[in-house]
Every structure is written in C-alpha cells, then in structure tokens.
Amino acid sequence: MGISKLGEKFTAFFKKNMPDAFVFALVLTMVVALSAIFFVSAGFFQILDAWYQGFWLLLEFGMQMVLLIVTGYTIALSPFFSKQIDRLCKYINSPVQVYFIVTLFGFLVSMISWGWIVAAAALGRSLSNKIKGVNYPFLIACTYFSNNSWVTGLSSSIPLLLNTKDNYLIKAGIIENTISTTETLGSFLNGIVILSYLIIGTLIMIMIRPKSSEGKELKDYLISGENSKNDRTIEEEADSQKLPSKALSDKMNNSFLLVIIIFFFGLIYTLRYFIMNGFDLNLNIMIFIFLMLGLVMHRSPLRFSIAMRRSSSNVSSILFQFPFYAGIMGIMIYTGLGESLSQAIVSVSSLKTYPFFSFLLGGIVNFAIPSGGGEFAVIGPSVLKAVKTIGTNLPASEIVSMISRASLAIAYGETLTNLLQPFYLLLVLPIMGSGTNLQARDIMGYLVIPFMAFFIIYSIIITYVPF
C-alpha cells in the first residue's frame, strides 16, 4: 500500500469515528475526571470545584485567539493581499505547488510566532480559490501541521519562561538564574529540529498528498447560500451604504485621512514598543499590528468594519469550546493529577532516558492542558527537580544543559500531540472552513503519518543529538 493511500485510510477512519471537536472536549473532560478519581483519589466535589475554577483560566487567551483570527483574516480580505495572491498564482499552477508553498510558508511564519499561522491559513484559502485540483481538507491539514514549528521559534513559551527574570522556577529555588534562549532556542539540537520541519516535514506532506481531489475542492464544501452572502466585494457593499446625495457621514465613513492618522499613531507606538522591549512579539502587540495593518489596507473605516464583520462570522467554536478545555486544565491543576503524572514518569528516568520521558510526558499532558505555558507550570517543576537529582555531582553548566534539554523535550512533546487533538485547529478552521461544512474529522486523519514520523524523529533527536 502506497503512503498516500495509507493516509487516505487514516482519513476514512477518522471521518467515520472522530466526533466533533466539542464532543472530543466533553469526552476528554470525563476521562480526566475519572483519572483524578483513580490516580489521585480526588473526591467528586473536589473535581467539580477544580473543573469550575479552570473554566475561567483561558478567558484572556481565548479572546486573544479570536482577535488574532479576525484581524489576520481581515488583512487577507484586503485588496492589497488579493493582488499579491494574483501575482503569486502566476508562478503556481498545480496542487502540489500549493501544498508545498503553504506548508513551507506556515513553518516559516510560525517560527516568528505561533499566531501567524492565520497568515498561512489565509494564503491557503486564497490559493485554493485560484488553483484547480486542490484537495482542500488535505490543504487544511498541511496548514495545521505547519504550525508545529512554533515551538522552535521566537514565541516558544517554555524557553521564554526560563529566560524571564524572577520567574516562578527561580522563586521556588528549582533554578538559580535565568537560562538564556541561546541555551535552548539557539542550541544545536533545536537547529536540527528546525531543519527537520523545513525539509522532512514539507517532504512528508508532499509524499502523502492524495492522488485525487474529486469532490474535495473548496467549491465542493461551500454551503449553498453561505457564500452568496458575500458575493459583493467589500468595496461594493461599502458603496451601497452611501446616501443618494453627498453627506458628511459618508465622507467620514470612507475617509482615508482618518485611517492614515490612526495608522500613524499605531506605527509610532509599535516602533517605540520594539525599541523599548526588543523583539518581544507577544499576542497583544501582534493583534495591535494586525488591527493597524488591516485598517490601512482597507483604506476606510467602513470597509474595515465590513471586513471585520465577515471575518468574525465563524469564530463561535472558540468562544464556547475554550472554557471546556480550560475546565479540563483546571482538573489537572487543582486535583494534583498533572503533578502526580509527572512524578510517576520522571521516577523511572535516568541520565540517558530523561529527555525521552520528558518528551513523552509533554505529549500526554498536552491532551488535557493544550497550552505550552500552562502545561509547563503543572509538570515543569517536578521534571526539573528530577533532572537536578539525576545530575547530582555533575558540573553546574552540565545541569543547565540538562534542564534546557528536558524543557525543550517537554515543549516538543506538547506541540507534537496537537496533531492528534483538534484544539488548535480552532486557529485554522475559522478562516479555511468559513462558509463550509468541514469539521475536524475531515482533516485529522491526514496528520497521523506526520505524527508517527515526527514521534520517531523527535525521539532520536532529543535522545542522541548533542545539545
């Protein structure tokens, strides 16, 4: 059986057996709750209280994701972005080239920040409208997979935490000083992981691409009536709202001067921010930049408002699913289940095996706590304490290297199992699935082979590659 046919087999299995992403969250809630009863003897009401407390842990993060998606998609709806896609299509004329460009582009922008995957999603959506023969669910899988490289880049939360002054690990006495990102993100090991994504990851997606796109192009998934709502361009809709005679309100609604003034303020603040903070590309500044860029690229307040409304039409899944995933996270944190699991796994680790077991732990806990920083807060202290114990009598520099390797291993495991659970697909589907009936089950099967391949690759790299 060819590798592409195997990918189709996995896809057929997931499509038949995988429920909606929200049902996945509900089932996972029950699994984690039962685990808390059996493994840490948590009481029923203790679990209920932990679940409720957790519900509100990701409110800020959820709103950030909504704004990131909406503002990123608004840029993709601008005339400027559309012109760039038209130029790009002069050089792209086959589905294989689309898969290659979107996957590689996704890897590269995700290394700047995980949130930039919205740009790859917008690119994929636009190209699939222009190029015939693109298997659209597979293209979504390419986009989602490409977001995995974020863990090697500038927004990788665990290495950034280690380099933060007075972080909770220092306050707890687990590490004595900050650990520079040159020890983690700048390590030889992380460089090898980056190359494996850019080269092997891209090649894998080309190798497993479906041979046929019959019945699976974007146009085949568009819901009748949904697409017709936006048949008019944004410019045409804005013009239709003008009064028959000249009016001050219309001039203000369509004022480019007002846009330029606000954009100028935003540009000054952004430049000042980076001068004062360095290249600290957090979610808030990214959303701010996207807002300013979207505003100036649409050239009027009214056109920007219309674009924002269109971009916001498909983010409901984030609004109601995030609290349930946060509830799962609450059970893991407040019942002690997460810490208990980490202690159980690291207890069997040795000087040779601690990186692999850290990687394995990161992957397992990610199903219940799909947040790199949140997960590390639960399992990180136990793992790093164990690493220090394992490295007793070794030089201090060696201990720092061991802590850095273990931390990266957790991060790699955390991001890899995203390929088996649909939480962060919520970043991609609101853009690529807008106006369609596509669900997680249509996409996740294509990610099984990349998951298996990178599980092997990661296991070898984190265990044997010099740091």
Side-chain angles (χ1 to χ4, degrees), residues 66-67 69-71 73-74 77 125 223 225-227 229-230 305-320 426 429-436:
V66 167
L67 286 172
I69 291 167
V70 171
T71 54
Y73 197 14
T74 298
L77 292 176
R125 173 89 185 207
I223 300 170
E226 286 290 317
N227 202 43
K229 292 178 184 178
N230 293 333
S305 298
I306 294 169
M308 286 288 283
R309 188 186 70 241
R310 293 188 180 187
S311 301
S312 305
S313 63
N314 203 35
V315 295
S316 60
S317 56
I318 292 179
L319 297 177
F320 75 87
L426 295 174
L429 269 183
I431 295 175
M432 298 191 78
S434 179
T436 75

PDB file of all heavy atoms in Angstrom, residues 66-67 69-71 73-74 77 125 223 225-227 229-230 305-320 426 429-436:
ATOM      1  N   VAL A  66      -9.412  34.850  19.308  1.00  0.00           N
ATOM      2  CA  VAL A  66     -10.493  35.368  18.463  1.00  0.00           C
ATOM      3  C   VAL A  66     -10.018  36.598  17.691  1.00  0.00           C
ATOM      4  O   VAL A  66     -10.185  36.695  16.466  1.00  0.00           O
ATOM      5  CB  VAL A  66     -11.735  35.721  19.319  1.00  0.00           C
ATOM      6  CG1 VAL A  66     -12.731  36.541  18.497  1.00  0.00           C
ATOM      7  CG2 VAL A  66     -12.402  34.455  19.829  1.00  0.00           C
ATOM      8  N   LEU A  67      -9.412  37.533  18.407  1.00  0.00           N
ATOM      9  CA  LEU A  67      -8.945  38.761  17.758  1.00  0.00           C
ATOM     10  C   LEU A  67      -7.818  38.482  16.768  1.00  0.00           C
ATOM     11  O   LEU A  67      -7.729  39.122  15.713  1.00  0.00           O
ATOM     12  CB  LEU A  67      -8.483  39.767  18.814  1.00  0.00           C
ATOM     13  CG  LEU A  67      -9.604  40.441  19.605  1.00  0.00           C
ATOM     14  CD1 LEU A  67      -9.027  41.256  20.755  1.00  0.00           C
ATOM     15  CD2 LEU A  67     -10.438  41.337  18.687  1.00  0.00           C
ATOM     16  N   ILE A  69      -7.400  35.756  14.964  1.00  0.00           N
ATOM     17  CA  ILE A  69      -8.007  35.173  13.766  1.00  0.00           C
ATOM     18  C   ILE A  69      -8.734  36.235  12.957  1.00  0.00           C
ATOM     19  O   ILE A  69      -8.557  36.353  11.735  1.00  0.00           O
ATOM     20  CB  ILE A  69      -8.981  34.049  14.152  1.00  0.00           C
ATOM     21  CG1 ILE A  69      -8.205  32.856  14.716  1.00  0.00           C
ATOM     22  CG2 ILE A  69      -9.818  33.608  12.961  1.00  0.00           C
ATOM     23  CD1 ILE A  69      -9.076  31.847  15.410  1.00  0.00           C
ATOM     24  N   VAL A  70      -9.550  37.026  13.630  1.00  0.00           N
ATOM     25  CA  VAL A  70     -10.374  38.023  12.944  1.00  0.00           C
ATOM     26  C   VAL A  70      -9.504  39.084  12.270  1.00  0.00           C
ATOM     27  O   VAL A  70      -9.722  39.427  11.098  1.00  0.00           O
ATOM     28  CB  VAL A  70     -11.365  38.671  13.934  1.00  0.00           C
ATOM     29  CG1 VAL A  70     -12.068  39.852  13.287  1.00  0.00           C
ATOM     30  CG2 VAL A  70     -12.382  37.638  14.404  1.00  0.00           C
ATOM     31  N   THR A  71      -8.517  39.609  12.993  1.00  0.00           N
ATOM     32  CA  THR A  71      -7.673  40.652  12.404  1.00  0.00           C
ATOM     33  C   THR A  71      -6.780  40.096  11.296  1.00  0.00           C
ATOM     34  O   THR A  71      -6.554  40.760  10.282  1.00  0.00           O
ATOM     35  CB  THR A  71      -6.800  41.315  13.483  1.00  0.00           C
ATOM     36  OG1 THR A  71      -6.049  40.310  14.196  1.00  0.00           O
ATOM     37  CG2 THR A  71      -7.650  42.086  14.475  1.00  0.00           C
ATOM     38  N   TYR A  73      -7.492  37.527   9.328  1.00  0.00           N
ATOM     39  CA  TYR A  73      -8.353  37.249   8.173  1.00  0.00           C
ATOM     40  C   TYR A  73      -8.782  38.549   7.493  1.00  0.00           C
ATOM     41  O   TYR A  73      -8.936  38.607   6.263  1.00  0.00           O
ATOM     42  CB  TYR A  73      -9.572  36.451   8.628  1.00  0.00           C
ATOM     43  CG  TYR A  73     -10.326  35.757   7.508  1.00  0.00           C
ATOM     44  CD1 TYR A  73      -9.783  35.616   6.234  1.00  0.00           C
ATOM     45  CD2 TYR A  73     -11.592  35.233   7.732  1.00  0.00           C
ATOM     46  CE1 TYR A  73     -10.483  34.974   5.223  1.00  0.00           C
ATOM     47  CE2 TYR A  73     -12.298  34.585   6.734  1.00  0.00           C
ATOM     48  CZ  TYR A  73     -11.736  34.464   5.475  1.00  0.00           C
ATOM     49  OH  TYR A  73     -12.423  33.831   4.476  1.00  0.00           O
ATOM     50  N   THR A  74      -8.956  39.609   8.278  1.00  0.00           N
ATOM     51  CA  THR A  74      -9.325  40.908   7.708  1.00  0.00           C
ATOM     52  C   THR A  74      -8.248  41.404   6.755  1.00  0.00           C
ATOM     53  O   THR A  74      -8.547  41.968   5.688  1.00  0.00           O
ATOM     54  CB  THR A  74      -9.543  41.930   8.842  1.00  0.00           C
ATOM     55  OG1 THR A  74     -10.626  41.488   9.661  1.00  0.00           O
ATOM     56  CG2 THR A  74      -9.858  43.306   8.288  1.00  0.00           C
ATOM     57  N   LEU A  77      -8.572  39.723   3.479  1.00  0.00           N
ATOM     58  CA  LEU A  77      -9.694  40.187   2.657  1.00  0.00           C
ATOM     59  C   LEU A  77      -9.412  41.529   1.982  1.00  0.00           C
ATOM     60  O   LEU A  77     -10.241  42.014   1.212  1.00  0.00           O
ATOM     61  CB  LEU A  77     -10.947  40.327   3.535  1.00  0.00           C
ATOM     62  CG  LEU A  77     -11.553  39.030   4.075  1.00  0.00           C
ATOM     63  CD1 LEU A  77     -12.716  39.347   5.012  1.00  0.00           C
ATOM     64  CD2 LEU A  77     -12.022  38.131   2.948  1.00  0.00           C
ATOM     65  N   ARG A 125      -6.384  29.426   1.824  1.00  0.00           N
ATOM     66  CA  ARG A 125      -7.769  29.667   1.381  1.00  0.00           C
ATOM     67  C   ARG A 125      -7.779  30.392   0.040  1.00  0.00           C
ATOM     68  O   ARG A 125      -8.535  30.024  -0.874  1.00  0.00           O
ATOM     69  CB  ARG A 125      -8.496  30.488   2.439  1.00  0.00           C
ATOM     70  CG  ARG A 125      -9.895  30.958   2.047  1.00  0.00           C
ATOM     71  CD  ARG A 125     -10.952  29.966   2.417  1.00  0.00           C
ATOM     72  NE  ARG A 125     -12.277  30.355   1.947  1.00  0.00           N
ATOM     73  CZ  ARG A 125     -13.410  29.992   2.533  1.00  0.00           C
ATOM     74  NH1 ARG A 125     -13.388  29.224   3.610  1.00  0.00           N
ATOM     75  NH2 ARG A 125     -14.577  30.360   2.042  1.00  0.00           N
ATOM     76  N   ILE A 223     -21.263  25.807   1.601  1.00  0.00           N
ATOM     77  CA  ILE A 223     -22.681  25.607   1.896  1.00  0.00           C
ATOM     78  C   ILE A 223     -23.502  26.531   1.009  1.00  0.00           C
ATOM     79  O   ILE A 223     -23.222  27.730   0.909  1.00  0.00           O
ATOM     80  CB  ILE A 223     -22.969  25.902   3.377  1.00  0.00           C
ATOM     81  CG1 ILE A 223     -22.150  24.966   4.262  1.00  0.00           C
ATOM     82  CG2 ILE A 223     -24.448  25.762   3.680  1.00  0.00           C
ATOM     83  CD1 ILE A 223     -22.190  25.337   5.724  1.00  0.00           C
ATOM     84  N   GLY A 225     -25.852  29.102  -0.263  1.00  0.00           N
ATOM     85  CA  GLY A 225     -26.413  30.282   0.382  1.00  0.00           C
ATOM     86  C   GLY A 225     -25.426  31.015   1.251  1.00  0.00           C
ATOM     87  O   GLY A 225     -25.493  32.232   1.380  1.00  0.00           O
ATOM     88  N   GLU A 226     -24.476  30.262   1.870  1.00  0.00           N
ATOM     89  CA  GLU A 226     -23.493  30.906   2.738  1.00  0.00           C
ATOM     90  C   GLU A 226     -22.558  31.783   1.938  1.00  0.00           C
ATOM     91  O   GLU A 226     -22.258  32.907   2.310  1.00  0.00           O
ATOM     92  CB  GLU A 226     -22.684  29.844   3.495  1.00  0.00           C
ATOM     93  CG  GLU A 226     -23.434  29.169   4.613  1.00  0.00           C
ATOM     94  CD  GLU A 226     -23.691  30.103   5.773  1.00  0.00           C
ATOM     95  OE1 GLU A 226     -22.773  30.846   6.153  1.00  0.00           O
ATOM     96  OE2 GLU A 226     -24.814  30.093   6.287  1.00  0.00           O
ATOM     97  N   ASN A 227     -22.077  31.256   0.833  1.00  0.00           N
ATOM     98  CA  ASN A 227     -21.117  32.002   0.030  1.00  0.00           C
ATOM     99  C   ASN A 227     -21.765  33.192  -0.664  1.00  0.00           C
ATOM    100  O   ASN A 227     -21.140  34.216  -0.889  1.00  0.00           O
ATOM    101  CB  ASN A 227     -20.459  31.077  -0.994  1.00  0.00           C
ATOM    102  CG  ASN A 227     -19.126  31.601  -1.491  1.00  0.00           C
ATOM    103  OD1 ASN A 227     -18.332  32.077  -0.706  1.00  0.00           O
ATOM    104  ND2 ASN A 227     -18.906  31.516  -2.786  1.00  0.00           N
ATOM    105  N   LYS A 229     -23.820  35.186   0.446  1.00  0.00           N
ATOM    106  CA  LYS A 229     -23.936  36.358   1.315  1.00  0.00           C
ATOM    107  C   LYS A 229     -22.841  37.365   1.018  1.00  0.00           C
ATOM    108  O   LYS A 229     -23.027  38.566   1.190  1.00  0.00           O
ATOM    109  CB  LYS A 229     -23.838  35.927   2.789  1.00  0.00           C
ATOM    110  CG  LYS A 229     -25.017  35.092   3.274  1.00  0.00           C
ATOM    111  CD  LYS A 229     -24.795  34.671   4.727  1.00  0.00           C
ATOM    112  CE  LYS A 229     -25.898  33.747   5.220  1.00  0.00           C
ATOM    113  NZ  LYS A 229     -25.646  33.297   6.615  1.00  0.00           N
ATOM    114  N   ASN A 230     -21.686  36.880   0.604  1.00  0.00           N
ATOM    115  CA  ASN A 230     -20.547  37.764   0.382  1.00  0.00           C
ATOM    116  C   ASN A 230     -20.186  37.847  -1.103  1.00  0.00           C
ATOM    117  O   ASN A 230     -19.036  38.002  -1.457  1.00  0.00           O
ATOM    118  CB  ASN A 230     -19.336  37.265   1.187  1.00  0.00           C
ATOM    119  CG  ASN A 230     -19.559  37.383   2.680  1.00  0.00           C
ATOM    120  OD1 ASN A 230     -20.314  38.221   3.128  1.00  0.00           O
ATOM    121  ND2 ASN A 230     -18.917  36.519   3.449  1.00  0.00           N
ATOM    122  N   SER A 305     -14.659  47.871   8.757  1.00  0.00           N
ATOM    123  CA  SER A 305     -15.730  47.333   9.594  1.00  0.00           C
ATOM    124  C   SER A 305     -16.441  46.171   8.908  1.00  0.00           C
ATOM    125  O   SER A 305     -16.766  45.158   9.547  1.00  0.00           O
ATOM    126  CB  SER A 305     -16.749  48.429   9.925  1.00  0.00           C
ATOM    127  OG  SER A 305     -16.146  49.469  10.658  1.00  0.00           O
ATOM    128  N   ILE A 306     -16.678  46.312   7.607  1.00  0.00           N
ATOM    129  CA  ILE A 306     -17.323  45.234   6.844  1.00  0.00           C
ATOM    130  C   ILE A 306     -16.428  43.994   6.817  1.00  0.00           C
ATOM    131  O   ILE A 306     -16.897  42.866   7.007  1.00  0.00           O
ATOM    132  CB  ILE A 306     -17.641  45.702   5.406  1.00  0.00           C
ATOM    133  CG1 ILE A 306     -18.705  46.805   5.430  1.00  0.00           C
ATOM    134  CG2 ILE A 306     -18.114  44.536   4.543  1.00  0.00           C
ATOM    135  CD1 ILE A 306     -18.899  47.515   4.101  1.00  0.00           C
ATOM    136  N   ALA A 307     -15.137  44.215   6.596  1.00  0.00           N
ATOM    137  CA  ALA A 307     -14.186  43.096   6.572  1.00  0.00           C
ATOM    138  C   ALA A 307     -14.126  42.407   7.928  1.00  0.00           C
ATOM    139  O   ALA A 307     -14.067  41.169   8.017  1.00  0.00           O
ATOM    140  CB  ALA A 307     -12.798  43.595   6.165  1.00  0.00           C
ATOM    141  N   MET A 308     -14.152  43.188   9.011  1.00  0.00           N
ATOM    142  CA  MET A 308     -14.124  42.608  10.360  1.00  0.00           C
ATOM    143  C   MET A 308     -15.384  41.790  10.619  1.00  0.00           C
ATOM    144  O   MET A 308     -15.325  40.715  11.235  1.00  0.00           O
ATOM    145  CB  MET A 308     -13.982  43.724  11.401  1.00  0.00           C
ATOM    146  CG  MET A 308     -12.601  44.338  11.488  1.00  0.00           C
ATOM    147  SD  MET A 308     -11.374  43.255  12.245  1.00  0.00           S
ATOM    148  CE  MET A 308     -11.792  43.404  13.973  1.00  0.00           C
ATOM    149  N   ARG A 309     -16.517  42.283  10.153  1.00  0.00           N
ATOM    150  CA  ARG A 309     -17.763  41.539  10.346  1.00  0.00           C
ATOM    151  C   ARG A 309     -17.725  40.206   9.606  1.00  0.00           C
ATOM    152  O   ARG A 309     -18.114  39.169  10.137  1.00  0.00           O
ATOM    153  CB  ARG A 309     -18.956  42.373   9.860  1.00  0.00           C
ATOM    154  CG  ARG A 309     -20.306  41.735  10.210  1.00  0.00           C
ATOM    155  CD  ARG A 309     -21.473  42.477   9.601  1.00  0.00           C
ATOM    156  NE  ARG A 309     -21.515  42.306   8.158  1.00  0.00           N
ATOM    157  CZ  ARG A 309     -21.428  43.289   7.288  1.00  0.00           C
ATOM    158  NH1 ARG A 309     -21.253  44.536   7.710  1.00  0.00           N
ATOM    159  NH2 ARG A 309     -21.486  43.064   6.002  1.00  0.00           N
ATOM    160  N   ARG A 310     -17.220  40.232   8.373  1.00  0.00           N
ATOM    161  CA  ARG A 310     -17.121  38.990   7.602  1.00  0.00           C
ATOM    162  C   ARG A 310     -16.124  38.024   8.247  1.00  0.00           C
ATOM    163  O   ARG A 310     -16.350  36.816   8.262  1.00  0.00           O
ATOM    164  CB  ARG A 310     -16.699  39.300   6.161  1.00  0.00           C
ATOM    165  CG  ARG A 310     -17.736  40.071   5.366  1.00  0.00           C
ATOM    166  CD  ARG A 310     -17.341  40.187   3.903  1.00  0.00           C
ATOM    167  NE  ARG A 310     -18.335  40.936   3.135  1.00  0.00           N
ATOM    168  CZ  ARG A 310     -18.312  41.077   1.808  1.00  0.00           C
ATOM    169  NH1 ARG A 310     -17.324  40.519   1.109  1.00  0.00           N
ATOM    170  NH2 ARG A 310     -19.249  41.750   1.191  1.00  0.00           N
ATOM    171  N   SER A 311     -15.047  38.564   8.776  1.00  0.00           N
ATOM    172  CA  SER A 311     -14.020  37.720   9.392  1.00  0.00           C
ATOM    173  C   SER A 311     -14.500  37.111  10.705  1.00  0.00           C
ATOM    174  O   SER A 311     -13.983  36.073  11.129  1.00  0.00           O
ATOM    175  CB  SER A 311     -12.752  38.555   9.661  1.00  0.00           C
ATOM    176  OG  SER A 311     -12.238  39.102   8.476  1.00  0.00           O
ATOM    177  N   SER A 312     -15.471  37.751  11.351  1.00  0.00           N
ATOM    178  CA  SER A 312     -15.936  37.311  12.671  1.00  0.00           C
ATOM    179  C   SER A 312     -17.035  36.264  12.604  1.00  0.00           C
ATOM    180  O   SER A 312     -17.471  35.753  13.645  1.00  0.00           O
ATOM    181  CB  SER A 312     -16.459  38.514  13.472  1.00  0.00           C
ATOM    182  OG  SER A 312     -15.495  39.525  13.567  1.00  0.00           O
ATOM    183  N   SER A 313     -17.469  35.929  11.405  1.00  0.00           N
ATOM    184  CA  SER A 313     -18.666  35.101  11.271  1.00  0.00           C
ATOM    185  C   SER A 313     -18.470  33.641  11.670  1.00  0.00           C
ATOM    186  O   SER A 313     -19.433  32.907  11.804  1.00  0.00           O
ATOM    187  CB  SER A 313     -19.177  35.166   9.820  1.00  0.00           C
ATOM    188  OG  SER A 313     -18.200  34.620   8.933  1.00  0.00           O
ATOM    189  N   ASN A 314     -17.233  33.206  11.874  1.00  0.00           N
ATOM    190  CA  ASN A 314     -17.010  31.775  12.085  1.00  0.00           C
ATOM    191  C   ASN A 314     -16.122  31.483  13.293  1.00  0.00           C
ATOM    192  O   ASN A 314     -15.380  30.512  13.292  1.00  0.00           O
ATOM    193  CB  ASN A 314     -16.379  31.173  10.816  1.00  0.00           C
ATOM    194  CG  ASN A 314     -16.618  29.678  10.714  1.00  0.00           C
ATOM    195  OD1 ASN A 314     -17.656  29.184  11.113  1.00  0.00           O
ATOM    196  ND2 ASN A 314     -15.649  28.952  10.191  1.00  0.00           N
ATOM    197  N   VAL A 315     -16.197  32.326  14.327  1.00  0.00           N
ATOM    198  CA  VAL A 315     -15.330  32.118  15.493  1.00  0.00           C
ATOM    199  C   VAL A 315     -16.106  31.631  16.724  1.00  0.00           C
ATOM    200  O   VAL A 315     -15.563  31.576  17.822  1.00  0.00           O
ATOM    201  CB  VAL A 315     -14.556  33.410  15.857  1.00  0.00           C
ATOM    202  CG1 VAL A 315     -13.597  33.798  14.756  1.00  0.00           C
ATOM    203  CG2 VAL A 315     -15.523  34.547  16.164  1.00  0.00           C
ATOM    204  N   SER A 316     -17.350  31.249  16.532  1.00  0.00           N
ATOM    205  CA  SER A 316     -18.165  30.824  17.681  1.00  0.00           C
ATOM    206  C   SER A 316     -17.583  29.606  18.379  1.00  0.00           C
ATOM    207  O   SER A 316     -17.730  29.456  19.600  1.00  0.00           O
ATOM    208  CB  SER A 316     -19.596  30.529  17.228  1.00  0.00           C
ATOM    209  OG  SER A 316     -19.610  29.487  16.249  1.00  0.00           O
ATOM    210  N   SER A 317     -16.923  28.718  17.620  1.00  0.00           N
ATOM    211  CA  SER A 317     -16.381  27.496  18.220  1.00  0.00           C
ATOM    212  C   SER A 317     -15.344  27.808  19.297  1.00  0.00           C
ATOM    213  O   SER A 317     -15.254  27.109  20.306  1.00  0.00           O
ATOM    214  CB  SER A 317     -15.760  26.600  17.144  1.00  0.00           C
ATOM    215  OG  SER A 317     -14.764  27.291  16.418  1.00  0.00           O
ATOM    216  N   ILE A 318     -14.570  28.876  19.082  1.00  0.00           N
ATOM    217  CA  ILE A 318     -13.584  29.268  20.094  1.00  0.00           C
ATOM    218  C   ILE A 318     -14.290  29.783  21.342  1.00  0.00           C
ATOM    219  O   ILE A 318     -13.920  29.448  22.471  1.00  0.00           O
ATOM    220  CB  ILE A 318     -12.646  30.354  19.544  1.00  0.00           C
ATOM    221  CG1 ILE A 318     -11.753  29.781  18.439  1.00  0.00           C
ATOM    222  CG2 ILE A 318     -11.775  30.943  20.656  1.00  0.00           C
ATOM    223  CD1 ILE A 318     -10.826  30.788  17.828  1.00  0.00           C
ATOM    224  N   LEU A 319     -15.329  30.559  21.153  1.00  0.00           N
ATOM    225  CA  LEU A 319     -15.995  31.211  22.273  1.00  0.00           C
ATOM    226  C   LEU A 319     -16.586  30.207  23.256  1.00  0.00           C
ATOM    227  O   LEU A 319     -16.535  30.416  24.469  1.00  0.00           O
ATOM    228  CB  LEU A 319     -17.099  32.146  21.759  1.00  0.00           C
ATOM    229  CG  LEU A 319     -16.622  33.318  20.889  1.00  0.00           C
ATOM    230  CD1 LEU A 319     -17.811  34.118  20.383  1.00  0.00           C
ATOM    231  CD2 LEU A 319     -15.679  34.219  21.676  1.00  0.00           C
ATOM    232  N   PHE A 320     -17.144  29.096  22.744  1.00  0.00           N
ATOM    233  CA  PHE A 320     -17.765  28.178  23.699  1.00  0.00           C
ATOM    234  C   PHE A 320     -16.910  26.950  24.009  1.00  0.00           C
ATOM    235  O   PHE A 320     -17.129  26.291  25.037  1.00  0.00           O
ATOM    236  CB  PHE A 320     -19.164  27.750  23.214  1.00  0.00           C
ATOM    237  CG  PHE A 320     -19.171  26.737  22.091  1.00  0.00           C
ATOM    238  CD1 PHE A 320     -19.117  25.375  22.367  1.00  0.00           C
ATOM    239  CD2 PHE A 320     -19.271  27.140  20.771  1.00  0.00           C
ATOM    240  CE1 PHE A 320     -19.143  24.444  21.343  1.00  0.00           C
ATOM    241  CE2 PHE A 320     -19.288  26.222  19.749  1.00  0.00           C
ATOM    242  CZ  PHE A 320     -19.221  24.858  20.038  1.00  0.00           C
ATOM    243  N   LEU A 426      -8.798  25.147  15.934  1.00  0.00           N
ATOM    244  CA  LEU A 426      -9.672  26.311  16.072  1.00  0.00           C
ATOM    245  C   LEU A 426      -9.004  27.583  15.559  1.00  0.00           C
ATOM    246  O   LEU A 426      -9.684  28.584  15.307  1.00  0.00           O
ATOM    247  CB  LEU A 426     -10.066  26.498  17.537  1.00  0.00           C
ATOM    248  CG  LEU A 426     -10.920  25.386  18.172  1.00  0.00           C
ATOM    249  CD1 LEU A 426     -11.107  25.645  19.654  1.00  0.00           C
ATOM    250  CD2 LEU A 426     -12.247  25.261  17.470  1.00  0.00           C
ATOM    251  N   LEU A 429      -9.508  26.587  11.249  1.00  0.00           N
ATOM    252  CA  LEU A 429     -10.824  26.356  10.658  1.00  0.00           C
ATOM    253  C   LEU A 429     -11.705  27.608  10.517  1.00  0.00           C
ATOM    254  O   LEU A 429     -12.445  27.714   9.539  1.00  0.00           O
ATOM    255  CB  LEU A 429     -11.579  25.289  11.451  1.00  0.00           C
ATOM    256  CG  LEU A 429     -11.396  23.844  10.973  1.00  0.00           C
ATOM    257  CD1 LEU A 429     -12.253  22.894  11.796  1.00  0.00           C
ATOM    258  CD2 LEU A 429     -11.715  23.689   9.494  1.00  0.00           C
ATOM    259  N   PRO A 430     -11.660  28.555  11.461  1.00  0.00           N
ATOM    260  CA  PRO A 430     -12.486  29.746  11.250  1.00  0.00           C
ATOM    261  C   PRO A 430     -12.152  30.505   9.966  1.00  0.00           C
ATOM    262  O   PRO A 430     -13.004  31.199   9.418  1.00  0.00           O
ATOM    263  CB  PRO A 430     -12.173  30.607  12.489  1.00  0.00           C
ATOM    264  CG  PRO A 430     -11.823  29.615  13.537  1.00  0.00           C
ATOM    265  CD  PRO A 430     -11.056  28.549  12.807  1.00  0.00           C
ATOM    266  N   ILE A 431     -10.922  30.366   9.479  1.00  0.00           N
ATOM    267  CA  ILE A 431     -10.527  31.015   8.230  1.00  0.00           C
ATOM    268  C   ILE A 431     -10.734  30.071   7.048  1.00  0.00           C
ATOM    269  O   ILE A 431     -11.446  30.380   6.099  1.00  0.00           O
ATOM    270  CB  ILE A 431      -9.056  31.464   8.290  1.00  0.00           C
ATOM    271  CG1 ILE A 431      -8.882  32.559   9.351  1.00  0.00           C
ATOM    272  CG2 ILE A 431      -8.578  31.976   6.929  1.00  0.00           C
ATOM    273  CD1 ILE A 431      -7.454  32.986   9.576  1.00  0.00           C
ATOM    274  N   MET A 432     -10.132  28.891   7.123  1.00  0.00           N
ATOM    275  CA  MET A 432     -10.165  27.987   5.982  1.00  0.00           C
ATOM    276  C   MET A 432     -11.514  27.271   5.848  1.00  0.00           C
ATOM    277  O   MET A 432     -11.896  26.849   4.752  1.00  0.00           O
ATOM    278  CB  MET A 432      -9.029  26.966   6.080  1.00  0.00           C
ATOM    279  CG  MET A 432      -7.651  27.603   6.067  1.00  0.00           C
ATOM    280  SD  MET A 432      -6.281  26.435   5.864  1.00  0.00           S
ATOM    281  CE  MET A 432      -6.359  26.134   4.094  1.00  0.00           C
ATOM    282  N   GLY A 433     -12.226  27.133   6.962  1.00  0.00           N
ATOM    283  CA  GLY A 433     -13.514  26.452   6.916  1.00  0.00           C
ATOM    284  C   GLY A 433     -14.701  27.370   6.854  1.00  0.00           C
ATOM    285  O   GLY A 433     -15.848  26.911   6.859  1.00  0.00           O
ATOM    286  N   SER A 434     -14.463  28.675   6.771  1.00  0.00           N
ATOM    287  CA  SER A 434     -15.556  29.643   6.738  1.00  0.00           C
ATOM    288  C   SER A 434     -16.484  29.380   5.545  1.00  0.00           C
ATOM    289  O   SER A 434     -16.035  29.254   4.410  1.00  0.00           O
ATOM    290  CB  SER A 434     -14.994  31.059   6.659  1.00  0.00           C
ATOM    291  OG  SER A 434     -16.037  32.008   6.599  1.00  0.00           O
ATOM    292  N   GLY A 435     -17.778  29.291   5.818  1.00  0.00           N
ATOM    293  CA  GLY A 435     -18.761  29.073   4.757  1.00  0.00           C
ATOM    294  C   GLY A 435     -18.838  27.654   4.263  1.00  0.00           C
ATOM    295  O   GLY A 435     -19.506  27.380   3.258  1.00  0.00           O
ATOM    296  N   THR A 436     -18.177  26.725   4.956  1.00  0.00           N
ATOM    297  CA  THR A 436     -18.186  25.321   4.544  1.00  0.00           C
ATOM    298  C   THR A 436     -18.780  24.450   5.642  1.00  0.00           C
ATOM    299  O   THR A 436     -19.047  24.922   6.739  1.00  0.00           O
ATOM    300  CB  THR A 436     -16.760  24.811   4.236  1.00  0.00           C
ATOM    301  OG1 THR A 436     -16.050  24.606   5.468  1.00  0.00           O
ATOM    302  CG2 THR A 436     -15.994  25.807   3.374  1.00  0.00           C
TER     303      THR A 436
END
